[in-house]
Amino acid sequence: MSNYIDRLREQIGKTPIILVGASILARDDNGRVLLQYKCETGNWGLPGGTMRLGETIKETACRKLYEETGIKADNLKLTDIFSGEDFYDIDPDGDCTYNLIVLYEAFGVSDELISESEKSSLNVEYLYPEEVSNLELRSMKILNRIGIFSEDYIS
């Protein structure tokens, strides 16, 4: 988490805040979705994260895609924006957030994922979301709303 958010939390405690972030949808030629294993939650999810002060949301998407997967995309296309009660979250520390998530689809992505030691994710793979038993709820909701993941899988 950024120093900005840490400083904000020191001032306001667990009070809900609005966080702005980006998620990235990248697919291979077989239609599998690029997912990262998030060691802090023990779930698979779309690459993405929180915007830094002074950063554009597209810069956030590019930075998070590279930091978490080592991949650079030739082209990012704005796909959708998600917010509201469905994207309210309480993290393990009890911090409450309403998330505004901007989804970009990445095109011109290389097929080679970087080695484990070079990226911040424990694992990154192209997977069919419905075959992942521990897909995070936020990614399920995003993929469902854009027609990639069936509501039937959401409990």
Side-chain angles (χ1 to χ4, degrees):
M1 192 75 56
S2 74
N3 289 334
Y4 164 73
I5 296 169
D6 292 340
R7 289 192 313 270
L8 184 59
R9 283 288 176 206
E10 286 174 10
Q11 298 295 315
I12 66 165
K14 307 293 182 198
T15 301
I17 61 173
I18 298 170
L19 289 181
V20 178
S23 287
I24 302 90
L25 172 66
R27 292 184 268 191
D28 67 8
D29 293 338
N30 296 316
R32 295 177 300 179
V33 174
L34 181 67
L35 297 173
Q36 70 172 117
Y37 185 78
K38 300 181 179 202
C39 48
E40 69 272 3
T41 63
N43 293 337
W44 289 89
L46 294 168
T50 306
M51 177 189 280
R52 292 179 179 165
L53 289 176
E55 190 174 51
T56 68
I57 194 65
K58 193 169 189 177
E59 289 169 341
T60 301
C62 290
R63 174 178 56 82
K64 294 308 292 182
L65 180 63
Y66 183 73
E67 284 177 357
E68 295 176 357
T69 69
I71 291 175
K72 291 184 180 180
D74 291 339
N75 184 20
L76 291 180
K77 178 186 172 199
L78 177 64
T79 302
D80 209 334
I81 299 172
F82 305 91
S83 61
E85 292 293 332
D86 277 349
F87 295 92
Y88 174 77
D89 189 39
I90 301 173
D91 73 14
D93 294 330
D95 294 336
C96 303
T97 58
Y98 284 92
N99 296 284
L100 184 145
I101 302 166
V102 179
L103 179 68
Y104 284 94
E105 186 161 3
F107 298 95
V109 174
S110 66
D111 289 337
E112 292 186 29
L113 303 174
I114 62 171
S115 71
E116 299 301 316
S117 62
E118 295 174 306
K119 63 180 179 284
S120 63
S121 300
L122 193 58
N123 195 7
V124 178
E125 292 184 44
Y126 285 99
L127 301 166
Y128 293 111
E130 62 276 3
E131 296 176 351
V132 177
S133 63
N134 57 340
L135 186 63
E136 70 176 357
L137 186 58
R138 182 182 315 170
S139 292
M140 282 187 208
K141 290 176 182 180
I142 289 171
L143 292 171
N144 175 257
R145 290 210 189 156
I146 62 171
I148 292 177
F149 188 83
S150 173
E151 260 183 74
D152 298 337
Y153 294 102
I154 301 175
S155 52

